Each structure stands twice: as structure tokens, then as C-alpha cells.
Amino acid sequence: MVVNTIHWFRKGLRLHDNPSLRDSIIRADTLRCVYILDPWFAGSSNVGINRWRFLLQCLEDLDASLRKLNSRLFVIRGQPTDVFPRLFKEWKITRLSYEYDSEPFGKDRDAAIKKLATEAGVEVFVRISHTLYDLDKIIELNGGQSPLTYKRFQMLISRMDLVEIPAETITAVVMGKCATPVSDDHDDKFGVPSLEELGFETDGLSSAVWPGGETEALTRLERHLERKAWVANFERPRMNANSLLASPTGLSPYLRFGCLSCRLFHFKLTDLYRKVKKNCVPPLSLYGQLLWREFFYMTATNNPHFDKMEFNPICVQIPWDRNPEALAKWSEGRTGFPWIDAIMTQLRQEGWIHHLARHAVACFLTRGDLWISWEEGMKVFEELLLDADWSVNAGSWMWLSCSSFFQQFFHCYCPVGFGRRTDPNGDYIRHYLPILRGFPAKFIYDPWNAPESVQKIAKCIIGVHYPKPMVNHAEASRINIERMKQIYQQLSCYRGLGLLATVPSNATNNGDGNGAGPSSGDNTQESTHITGKPTSALSYSSYNSSLEMSDNAESFCCNLGVSKCFHQPNPLHVKYIPKILEIMQTSPQSNGVDDGSV
Amino acid sequence: VCSTLEGGGPGPGTPELCKRLRQGDSEDGAVDWRQLPEEILLQIFQYLPLLDRAFASQVCRGWNQTFHMPELWRCFEFELNQPASSYLKATHPDLIKQIIKRHSNHLQYVSFKVDSSTESAEAACDILSQLVNCSLKTLGLISTARPSFMELPKSHFISALTVVFVNSKSLSSLKIDDTPVDDPSLKVLVANNSDTLKLLKMSSCPHVSPAGILCVADQCHGLRELALNYHLLSDELLLALSSERHVHLEHLRIDVVSENPGQQFHSIKKSSWDAMVRHSPKFNLVMYFFLYEDEFGPFFRDEVPVTHLYFGRSVSKEVLGRVGLTCPRLVELVVCANGLRPLDEELIRIAERCRQLSAIGLGECEVSCSAFVEFVKMCGGRLTQLSIMEEVLVPDNKYGPDDIHWEVSKHLGRVWFPDMMPTW
């Protein structure tokens, strides 16, 4: 029987550690690697030019690598549900392979395609290689629920089997007799499009600071490891002014698109550590970057509402302000705070900012200063940030805005002070906001405080050449910390005066031993915190009185949000109001059935 | 239903009650729910959220009557949001009309949550003006985003608010932070509610003067909780709160906010604080500071009885050193940011001198691991809240980042980890 196989690239844009592709080739007669450009796929509509360029560069790189194997990449426009039945018929396909996608929409899309494949008699090979672990197994280990604290996640990870070693790279040997039929007009029909062809204006576009592709990814990996080995120090490097700039060893966009396998990175880190530290067991913190990514994929995988506040069972319902004008100022780097504006400028120009820079701008937008919803920030990052994908972006934003995962909200990143402490000289500001070059270090973070003479010399009058600060930070942070406190107090029913105790997880201080799951045996159980009893119905907010505080920080998450259990409707939801009005408007005498029937 | 009485398991009276209900049996042994006494039904309804209660009230005339009993309409929270400025739903205007029409004289505990739009604040005032038949015990005006009450014409707001002050006559709890309340309206409050007022929260009310709040302290001898801004605090106020006729104060919350850099703040005499402590030995003093680093001049020079301290901007090492020397009653210390010089000595001193300290939070600061372990050792098990950002702990030759948490856990007597932020 002839085996004609399609490998469907979505993420996992690489030939190394690609087990689904590798397995697909075994005993296959023909192989066609396809990439489907689906402009209607959820999440891809809001994508900026840097992200498109990166993707196209990844596809070019794949095509080039496949050429070396006498194969090619097939780029096809359309929706997968339309494209695949056509391809199955045209190419007489008997096998389809793809890398497992853990995101809820991805799972739905893949279920539909799997069904189409089965109906067409096509066998489907799916392998996990975008994450270190099988996420469902971690969830299973936690009693069927996604762990919601990073600490618990780390504990579960330490009990999982070792990360699988990367699958062998696809080479001519691996290809063996498998061939790819390539037509003469392949470039016209299936070639990688250019940015112009996709409708982008490329005049004046500067060259990519982060060039896409597997080749570049692997080069960077080597550099990254070299640097670590040379430093012989695996601790988190101290933050300094240089860290803010794009690094030639940075890997996050490549991990996101799958140009670099996370398992390969994990493997190489472990290997290097053992060599340098003479066979010591590597601590979990070595893989920090990879584990955070894994954590967010895992918490998102069973939650289709993960990127929203409403109906999201793990998201605190916070009364964010709707303010498109303020949002635009933040997004376009016109806040009047040079630290914030420089970061947003770097993001827009280059597509990457340091994680502490992300904290700074996320805090400023949400709980720190503007009190605007994290969903708005998430959308801007989705457009501009190369390494932002659905799970990690949404998860990070919820984390940074203290909307989930029990974050203490007291620490606020000052849009003046934090920048100043990171880069006292202000070179980063001068680099991305040339208009402020003339300001001395003393005033570059708060130029509105500079005397007029200084502004004149700098040829930049605040309010004319550069905006005045859009908020008073002291006032804003005072108001906002009070808001956060009110919200968390209402949820945790804590009525004391402490700021820290308002957040329930602090009761156990992240010692997640009091989980209900079977895996909690190791940790000490402790409830040192005064848990508030549910307030009685006659208290201040009677209809919220059904919220209950439990000692278990993990199960607390089911109570976040206005309704006690998620999936129950919000009683004040507009659709239920007519019912209540109807009831209130009927006078007692004429009400309904009077036969006492229940 | 029997097992949900009192919200717990079956109570002692339950079997008899169930028996009584079954006596009104029909032949098939079913229970006649009409016989459920009204008081019991009322109690059950109190546990139901509004929507469920509303559905239950449709069952029969009796249950509908219970639904409208005054006891169920004592509390209400009006949520006033505009779609243009909020994602949250608002209390339906018709529902509000119905409540005012049928139940306004039952309302006792009322709060208004308004978003950042002026319309929402206006709507709140509109409702307030109609609460003429109300005898409110609790009133809360809460801005959930930007303080929109401040954008209203002052007179408009004041007249709405004074409707409640004048008509209630038994206000016990009043939250009016971030509003344009002024001295004359406080006088009206005092004239009508001086016997009953126990709680007053009025942080960031710029139209109130120290004299205005002093009037409240002088007349409202039952005042137990007070929240205001530092500019309203005076020696006279503290002495008034410590006078013989005054009850023991429980909580005093003070926000110290800088309007412009280099702002000067007045100081409070140590004798005034001493009088407070003598009069109310158990009172909690909560202070939130939002100052520039160089504005702390008048603070922490003499002993101050602060129990909960929050530094919302960066605070210098020197000031934290003074905190250790002047705050013996300190229970919670939260530092948003300090800078890049280690706070080792300052923390040790705080562990030594602040023997009541049970909660500490450190944001953008630095402490060497050894000093931190020393600090935790000295405080021991009394630290119930320990919230330290991971980057705060600087590894030294004794402890690395991976073993610090075990060392700390040992001395705390429970598993502890620092707070983390995603490094993605």
C-alpha cells in the first residue's frame, strides 16, 4: 500500500526534535510538509508586521532546509477544514501528522481535522513536542485540576518522569526512500509569500533585530550555552542597563514559534550544568524560563476563557476602567513617563522587551496607574511581541495585573524610580526616545520636574515636544492599592487590617501542602491565617455572602468572580433582570398559582 | 430544607419541626410546605442570593409575601456603571426604581459602587436624594476606578449626601473617601448622628479642613474607626479622640500623600500620640506613605504608635533605620521599593525592636541571604505573613538562591518560598 503523508506545520517550525514528522516519514512513500495560512484562526488576526516577518522568515528557513533533503515546504492559504479534504483527495493522502497543540482553540480545530481525516481514511499521528511534558499528565497528578500556584507546579514537576530526550533531526538518512513530488510551478502555487504580498507596507522598515528561523535559533542556542559555560554561573544574572537591550543569545521568540525545541534546550542546559558543576543535580531554577512557559500552557489548556476576565473561573473580577484614549497613549508610548514610553517604543520597533520591562509596563497599565484591563494590554502584546502566544501572554498578563495566581499586589513598579534604579544613566531612554537625549541623568526619568532652563538646553519643552505625565503616580497608586485591597477583601472575607493577609495564598505562604489532592503528602499543612467566616446575609453585600473562604488556596480559585461557582450565571446579568422585575412588579395578591403547589 | 436550617447540619430542633410539617400530610406522606413557619422561611431566604430568592418567591402567595419582608431588604449594593467606562454590569434602573418604591424605608445598610464616569456618580446622588424615608445605619460611597464623585459639582453632591445625614439620624458607619464632602456637611452629619457614629472613612477628601474633622471628634464620642489624610491630622484631633468622654478608638488610618515634590509636612507631638495610647492601649494605627524619598523629614523622629506601615513609593535605608527605632508597636511592615543597597542592618534592628511584628512584605529591595535568615530566626514563628520577592534575596557565601527557602522554612516552622514573577 502506498503511504502518502502530510506533515502539518503550525508551531514546531523545525526539523530537529520533531517526533510527529519523524514518525510520519517511517515507511512513507511521499512526504509533503504544509503550512496553512489561516487568517481567520482565532488570535492570528491581531498580528503586527514584526510577527508576520518573523513567521515568514521561519517558513523560508524551513523551505531552505527541506530543499537540502530534496523536499519543499507547501504554503497553502485558507482554512484547514476547507483545505484538508481537498488535499486528501488530490494527493491521495493516507497519513497526516502534526505536533500536539495544547491550547483550547487548537484542540478544537484539531479535533475537527482529525474527524475529517478519519472520514477520509487518513491515519493521524500526533506527538507532544511543544512542551516539556504531557500537560494532561501533570494535571492528572494533581487530582484532575490544573495547579494554580507556580510552587505547586514545581512540586509536581519534580515528581514527573524525566523530560524525554529530543527526537533525532530529520536528515537524508531519516528520509530514506521518502520523496516529495515537487511541480515546476511550486513557487507560484505553494511558495512562501512576502510581506508585500500579504499587504504590508515595507518602505522604511528597518532590518529585523530578531531574525526568524530554525537555523538562527540553533546558532543562538549555542551562543547562549557558550555564555553560560564561560560564566560558569547558572544563577539569574543581575539586572543592568544592558539586559534591557535585545541580546544575540535571546531565545524566547524561537521557543514560541517552535524554531527551537524546548526539550532540546532543556537537554542541553542539563548537559552543560552537569559538565560544569561535575554531575550535580540541576536545580529547577535552571529551567526557569522554560518552566514558566510550561506553567502557563498547562493552566490554559482546559480553559477556553483563559484570555478573558468574564467567565474565567481563575480570574478575579476587577472593575477595570474603560478608557480608549489612555490605552492608546500607553500603547503608542505617549504616556509622558520616559521609562514606560521607551519600553513601548522598543516593543513596537523590535518585538521584544526584557521581562522586567514587561512587568513595568503591565503594572503601569493595570493595577499600578491607569487601572485599565489586562485584556487590553494582552491584545497590544499579541500584536507586537514576538514571543507572545495565547497561553503565555494571557497568563502573564493575569499574573502581572494580580488577577490570578494569588499575587501579592503591594509591590508597585514606579514608572520613575524603577527605571532609574535599573539604568541610572538613562542610556536606554536616550536610545529609544531621541527627543529626550539632551536631558541629564538627574531628570531623564522625570523630565517634567526639570527647571525650564534645563528643558531649554535639552531643546525639549515638556508639554510641547514631549507629553506631560498622564497621571500623578502617587495619587494613582494610592487609589489603586485601595481598590485592590477592597476587591481581595471581598473575596477572602478577611476583615483585618493587614495588607498582606488580604491575599489568601499568603495564609499558607505558598506552601501548597494543604491541597486536597493525593500528592500533597510531603508538605506540612498549616493554617496560620485567620480565615474569615462567610459574612451573614445581613452584612454589607448580601448577595455576595455565598462566597466562602476555604483554607485550601487552590480551591479558592473556584470562588473567584462574582458567582460562587463558575458556570453559574451572574445573578445581575442583564438576561435575568426582567425576571426579577417581573416578580417585584406583581403585587402579592395577584401573584401566580395559589394552590400551594411547589 | 430541614438540613439546611441554620446553614449547617441538622440542628436540635429540626426533627420536631419536620414532624410538625409531616402532620399536615396529605395521604401520600408528602410534606406541606405551606406550613413552613414564616420565620424559618425568612431565615432560609436570607441565605439565598437575590435571583434565587426571586425565583422562590414565585412559588406561592405566602412565599411571595416573605420575599417582600423588610428583613430581606435591609442591605443593598447599588452598582452604577456605564458601558463606555466599565466592563461590569450595572444594577438595572428599573430594579432600582422598584427598590426605592417598595423598600426604601427598609434599607439600612447601603453602598454605592460607581465607575469612573460622572453619570454613575450622578446616578448615585440621584438615589441618595430619594432616600428620604430611610434610616440608614451604614452608607458607603465607593469609587471602583477613578474617583468620579470628585467630578460632580460640589453643591450637587453635598445636597444629596445631606438628605441621608438629616433623615437617617442613626448613621453608624460612613465611607465617603474620595468625595467632595466639606466642613459644613460634616457639621450636619454631626448634628444628626453624633450619638451613633462609630466608623468614618474619609481619605482624600480635599475640601475638609482640620477644623472640620475636629468637630466630628469633639461631638461623636462613639467614634471607633477613622480614616483620613495626614493634612487633617492635628494634635488637637488626637487629644479630642483621647478625651475622657470618648470611647476607646480601635482603628486610625492615615494616608500621607505628596502632591508635589518637596512638600513640607507638619509634625505631630509625641505627647499627642502618648495620650492616644494611654486612652486606647489596643488601638491600631495604620499609615500609608506615598512620598518622595526626601519628604520623610518630620516622620519617625520620635516614637509613634504605628501598627501597620506601608511605603507605597521608594523609602530610603535611613528612614527604614529610623522605623526600627521609633515603632515599637509595629505589627505589619510593607515596603514597595527601596533600592539597591542592602537592608541588612535595618531589618535586624526591626526584628530586635519591633517585638509585635508578624507580617512583612518587601518588593524592590535587597537583603543578603544571611541577614534575612538572621531576621527570620529572631522573629521566629510570630511571622505569619512573609512576602518577599525572589529578587530581594541576594545570595552570599552562606546561602544560595536554591537553599534559602529551606533555611527560612526551618525557622518559621512551615514551608516557605519567596514570591515569584514570571521570567518569560
Side-chain angles (χ1 to χ4, degrees):
Chain A
M1 194 189 88
V2 176
V3 177
N4 295 320
T5 174
I6 288 181
H7 178 76
W8 181 16
F9 277 113
R10 301 92 66 85
K11 297 177 193 168
L13 302 175
R14 62 179 185 268
L15 297 181
H16 72 271
D17 189 29
N18 197 334
S20 49
L21 172 58
R22 190 224 26 218
D23 288 352
S24 199
I25 293 173
I26 298 173
R27 283 191 288 277
D29 296 280
T30 66
L31 165 73
R32 287 176 180 85
C33 293
V34 314
Y35 185 89
I36 301 184
L37 264 182
D38 175 7
W40 295 278
F41 183 58
S44 70
S45 50
N46 178 29
V47 175
I49 193 171
N50 278 329
R51 293 228 342 212
W52 274 112
R53 176 168 54 176
F54 193 93
L55 172 64
L56 295 178
Q57 286 171 339
C58 291
L59 297 180
E60 290 281 3
D61 191 74
L62 261 184
D63 192 35
S65 304
L66 285 167
R67 262 195 238 239
K68 293 187 191 140
L69 302 171
N70 288 325
S71 182
R72 292 296 301 274
L73 180 68
F74 291 69
V75 178
I76 300 171
R77 320 254 184 125
Q79 288 203 57
T81 40
D82 297 327
V83 166
F84 277 113
R86 199 166 38 89
L87 296 181
F88 290 158
K89 244 173 133 175
E90 219 173 280
W91 294 341
K92 298 190 177 52
I93 298 300
T94 56
R95 184 185 289 169
L96 170 67
S97 61
Y98 52 81
E99 180 186 68
Y100 179 70
D101 183 347
S102 64
E103 298 187 321
F105 294 116
K107 290 199 286 192
D108 286 345
R109 169 202 61 195
D110 292 348
I113 299 304
K114 206 166 187 183
K115 190 154 173 266
L116 285 174
T118 315
E119 280 164 14
V122 174
E123 59 173 347
V124 180
F125 287 11
V126 185
R127 302 285 180 269
I128 293 173
S129 52
H130 190 66
T131 50
L132 296 171
Y133 300 94
D134 180 345
L135 301 175
D136 291 333
K137 286 220 171 81
I138 306 177
I139 294 172
E140 205 184 292
L141 195 60
N142 195 45
Q145 290 270 46
S146 241
L148 285 162
T149 58
Y150 188 64
K151 277 305 148 195
R152 187 170 188 84
F153 169 73
Q154 283 187 311
M155 188 221 24
L156 292 164
I157 291 290
S158 63
R159 307 174 77 195
M160 297 275 290
D161 289 332
L162 294 177
V163 176
E164 270 182 38
I165 49 169
E168 78 248 52
T169 306
I170 311 298
T171 57
V173 172
V174 173
M175 285 287 282
K177 295 218 181 74
C178 187
T180 303
V182 180
S183 60
D184 289 331
D185 57 354
H186 179 97
D187 285 324
D188 291 329
K189 283 166 84 170
F190 305 115
V192 179
S194 65
L195 276 174
E196 292 84 359
E197 277 163 33
L198 289 178
F200 285 100
E201 189 55 62
T202 54
D203 273 342
L205 183 67
S206 48
S207 59
V209 175
W210 298 81
E214 181 185 7
T215 312
E216 175 70 21
L218 290 171
T219 310
R220 281 174 173 251
L221 176 64
E222 286 313 309
R223 262 188 238 140
H224 184 102
L225 295 168
E226 261 167 36
R227 188 157 82 169
K228 269 204 151 67
W230 183 71
V231 171
N233 170 15
F234 292 85
E235 272 134 31
R236 205 166 343 164
R238 288 276 283 268
M239 175 73 171
N240 59 44
N242 252 351
S243 331
L244 292 168
L245 301 172
S247 160
T249 62
L251 298 172
S252 58
Y254 305 92
L255 286 164
R256 181 245 178 259
F257 281 87
C259 311
L260 173 63
S261 155
C262 59
R263 305 186 319 174
L264 178 67
F265 186 24
H266 189 277
F267 177 77
K268 293 246 168 173
L269 271 176
T270 312
D271 196 47
L272 179 65
Y273 187 88
R274 287 212 176 106
K275 281 200 191 105
V276 172
K277 298 265 184 173
K278 310 292 180 227
N279 281 323
C280 230
V281 176
L284 277 181
S285 56
L286 179 67
Y287 314 105
Q289 196 181 11
L290 287 174
L291 291 179
W292 276 107
R293 174 182 175 271
E294 196 88 0
F295 175 73
F296 288 127
Y297 279 125
M298 185 202 58
T299 44
T301 188
N302 292 327
N303 185 356
H305 301 286
F306 194 68
D307 64 338
K308 304 245 168 1
M309 178 174 79
E310 210 182 6
F311 304 125
N312 185 347
I314 64 161
C315 187
V316 181
Q317 307 295 305
I318 296 179
W320 303 113
D321 199 17
R322 260 203 150 118
N323 192 335
E325 210 184 292
L327 174 62
K329 287 188 180 161
W330 173 83
S331 169
E332 292 159 26
R334 297 184 280 118
T335 64
F337 289 89
W339 171 237
I340 303 296
D341 292 341
I343 294 171
M344 294 307 287
T345 303
Q346 182 187 26
L347 174 60
R348 194 170 283 277
Q349 280 177 8
E350 298 176 11
W352 178 92
I353 48 177
H354 189 274
H355 73 260
L356 285 176
R358 296 177 204 202
H359 298 176
V361 298
C363 183
F364 185 85
L365 180 72
T366 57
R367 64 188 173 87
D369 294 77
L370 300 185
W371 199 252
I372 288 176
S373 169
W374 60 269
E375 289 180 57
E376 300 297 342
M378 179 191 75
K379 286 178 203 155
V380 172
F381 271 30
E382 187 180 25
E383 185 197 340
L384 302 174
L385 186 61
L386 289 173
D387 60 38
D389 65 8
W390 193 84
S391 311
V392 179
N393 195 20
S396 303
W397 272 95
M398 278 195 280
W399 191 293
L400 297 174
S401 61
C402 294
S403 294
S404 191
F405 313 114
F406 312 110
Q407 285 315 290
Q408 278 295 338
F409 51 81
F410 70 83
H411 52 88
C412 188
Y413 295 96
C414 178
V416 173
F418 184 48
R420 189 175 271 151
R421 288 184 284 272
T422 306
D423 174 19
N425 209 36
D427 295 324
Y428 176 77
I429 308 274
R430 291 195 192 85
H431 181 93
Y432 289 101
L433 299 176
I435 188 80
L436 296 175
R437 271 202 192 122
F439 279 91
K442 183 168 182 213
F443 291 112
I444 196 161
Y445 287 95
D446 52 350
W448 61 89
N449 284 332
E452 218 180 294
S453 52
V454 175
Q455 294 185 29
K456 281 209 173 95
I457 296 172
K459 296 205 182 64
C460 176
I461 305 296
I462 301 307
V464 177
H465 304 105
Y466 181 76
K468 289 199 182 134
M470 67 185 286
V471 288
N472 175 328
H473 177 68
E475 241 333 272
S477 45
R478 182 198 66 79
I479 293 173
N480 291 339
I481 193 130
E482 204 48 47
R483 307 281 168 260
M484 292 299 284
K485 195 164 146 223
Q486 272 166 30
I487 289 155
Y488 270 87
Q489 275 191 333
Q490 195 167 14
L491 290 173
S492 66
C493 299
Y494 173 71
R495 290 287 178 261
L497 293 169
L499 189 58
L500 299 177
T502 317
V503 178
S505 75
N506 227 52
T508 56
N509 259 317
N510 304 325
D512 295 311
N514 51 341
S519 43
S520 61
D522 323 332
N523 297 320
T524 33
Q525 194 133 350
E526 200 77 15
S527 54
T528 52
H529 170 64
I530 306 157
T531 61
K533 283 276 168 257
T535 51
S536 82
L538 286 182
S539 76
Y540 221 62
S541 313
S542 62
Y543 62 79
N544 272 338
S545 64
S546 52
L547 289 172
E548 263 165 54
M549 170 71 174
S550 70
D551 284 342
N552 185 344
E554 292 280 327
S555 77
F556 173 81
C557 268
C558 291
N559 298 332
L560 297 179
V562 179
S563 308
K564 180 184 174 184
C565 303
F566 73 97
H567 296 321
Q568 249 186 40
N570 175 349
L572 285 186
H573 196 281
V574 120
K575 132 175 152 186
Y576 296 98
I577 293 303
K579 199 74 211 168
I580 302 182
L581 288 179
E582 197 188 298
I583 290 160
M584 299 212 42
Q585 277 156 1
T586 32
S587 64
Q589 287 76 24
S590 63
N591 180 69
V593 181
D594 193 32
D595 63 359
S597 61
V598 178
Chain B
V1 168
C2 284
S3 62
T4 59
L5 288 177
E6 312 295 324
T14 324
E16 274 113 60
L17 177 63
C18 287
K19 215 165 122 193
R20 244 180 37 226
L21 285 176
R22 285 206 183 86
Q23 272 160 12
D25 264 357
S26 41
E27 286 99 41
D28 59 7
V31 174
D32 184 353
W33 294 106
R34 281 174 301 179
Q35 305 259 320
L36 195 64
E38 199 177 48
E39 319 85 65
I40 307 293
L41 188 62
L42 181 66
Q43 278 220 338
I44 295 166
F45 273 17
Q46 279 164 2
Y47 284 93
L48 297 178
L50 179 59
L51 180 65
D52 295 342
R53 227 186 288 156
F55 283 135
S57 76
Q58 293 225 285
V59 162
C60 65
R61 197 201 321 175
W63 283 31
N64 188 273
Q65 255 177 338
T66 309
F67 177 69
H68 285 289
M69 283 179 73
E71 289 85 336
L72 292 172
W73 297 96
R74 299 231 194 279
C75 311
F76 203 82
E77 184 165 79
F78 294 95
E79 291 196 50
L80 303 166
N81 303 310
Q82 300 295 315
S85 44
S86 171
Y87 298 97
L88 297 185
K89 306 284 191 282
T91 312
H92 199 284
D94 290 342
L95 178 60
I96 295 176
K97 279 205 196 95
Q98 283 294 312
I99 290 172
I100 295 178
K101 191 167 121 188
R102 291 188 75 157
H103 295 289
S104 66
N105 51 335
H106 303 149
L107 291 172
Q108 287 182 349
Y109 307 90
V110 173
S111 65
F112 293 86
K113 279 193 164 155
V114 307
D115 68 7
S116 57
S117 67
T118 324
E119 292 98 313
S120 300
E122 267 169 14
C125 287
D126 198 51
I127 300 171
L128 278 173
S129 325
Q130 295 180 66
L131 299 180
V132 183
N133 298 321
C134 270
S135 194
L136 292 185
K137 294 205 170 106
T138 301
L139 174 65
L141 302 179
I142 299 163
S143 320
T144 59
R146 282 194 322 271
S148 45
F149 285 112
M150 292 304 295
E151 282 155 40
L152 293 173
K154 185 167 142 239
S155 51
H156 184 49
F157 174 80
I158 300 293
S159 53
L161 193 59
T162 44
V163 166
V164 173
F165 288 174
V166 167
N167 287 288
S168 285
K169 300 210 190 298
S170 58
L171 267 177
S172 160
S173 211
L174 183 61
K175 292 188 189 181
I176 43 176
D177 311 86
D178 296 297
T179 61
V181 67
D182 58 6
D183 288 359
S185 42
L186 285 183
K187 277 215 175 81
V188 175
L189 168 70
V190 165
N192 290 281
N193 300 276
S194 60
D195 293 336
T196 50
L197 195 66
K198 296 200 177 81
L199 182 151
L200 176 60
K201 295 212 163 151
M202 37 171 281
S203 301
S204 282
C205 293
H207 300 296
V208 177
S209 78
I213 188 65
L214 188 56
C215 168
V216 176
D218 275 336
Q219 307 282 332
C220 304
H221 301 140
L223 194 63
R224 292 196 210 138
E225 290 187 43
L226 180 60
L228 38 61
N229 276 29
Y230 190 76
H231 77 270
L232 293 181
L233 192 67
S234 61
D235 295 300
E236 292 81 11
L237 180 66
L238 292 178
L239 292 174
L241 292 171
S242 328
S243 83
E244 258 176 28
R245 291 173 301 172
H246 217 281
V247 303
H248 299 304
L249 194 73
E250 283 170 28
H251 307 318
L252 178 61
R253 152 92 184 244
I254 301 173
D255 283 7
V256 191
V257 189
S258 164
E259 310 284 317
N260 300 299
Q263 187 169 337
Q264 300 291 327
F265 292 90
H266 64 282
S267 37
I268 298 292
K269 295 192 189 124
K270 181 173 184 306
S271 52
S272 313
W273 288 121
D274 289 344
M276 278 292 295
V277 177
R278 266 196 313 270
H279 181 77
S280 312
K282 296 213 181 94
F283 97 104
N284 289 296
L285 176 60
V286 180
M287 296 186 80
Y288 279 37
F289 284 87
F290 297 92
L291 303 183
Y292 286 94
E293 272 195 23
D294 54 1
E295 291 169 334
F296 281 93
F299 300 102
F300 306 108
R301 297 286 176 197
D302 289 320
E303 220 177 77
V304 58
V306 61
T307 51
H308 297 75
L309 195 49
Y310 173 66
F311 292 104
R313 294 191 86 140
S314 99
V315 58
S316 71
K317 196 166 138 72
E318 200 239 317
V319 170
L320 287 175
R322 297 204 314 253
V323 165
L325 293 174
T326 55
C327 306
R329 292 172 94 234
L330 196 62
V331 168
E332 178 177 75
L333 172 65
V334 181
V335 178
C336 191
N338 164 256
L340 297 174
R341 290 165 64 212
L343 296 174
D344 296 7
E345 281 165 25
E346 289 74 15
L347 268 192
I348 304 284
R349 182 186 295 163
I350 286 170
E352 268 168 3
R353 308 282 207 114
C354 308
R355 311 298 284 175
Q356 312 295 324
L357 189 76
S358 61
I360 184 158
L362 299 178
E364 205 200 317
C365 303
E366 283 203 359
V367 183
S368 74
C369 284
S370 309
F372 187 66
V373 170
E374 188 58 35
F375 169 78
V376 175
K377 244 192 207 107
M378 290 169 74
C379 295
R382 64 179 154 97
L383 278 183
T384 54
Q385 307 286 337
L386 186 57
S387 175
I388 313 292
M389 295 298 292
E390 206 187 9
E391 293 90 1
V392 169
L393 301 171
V394 180
D396 51 28
N397 41 23
K398 273 181 94 182
Y399 303 104
D402 295 309
D403 44 13
I404 182 81
H405 76 271
W406 284 122
E407 206 48 44
V408 171
S409 303
K410 248 173 33 202
H411 296 298
L412 280 181
R414 62 177 191 272
V415 179
W416 177 88
F417 291 101
D419 293 350
M420 304 186 77
M421 291 290 259
T423 52
W424 177 246

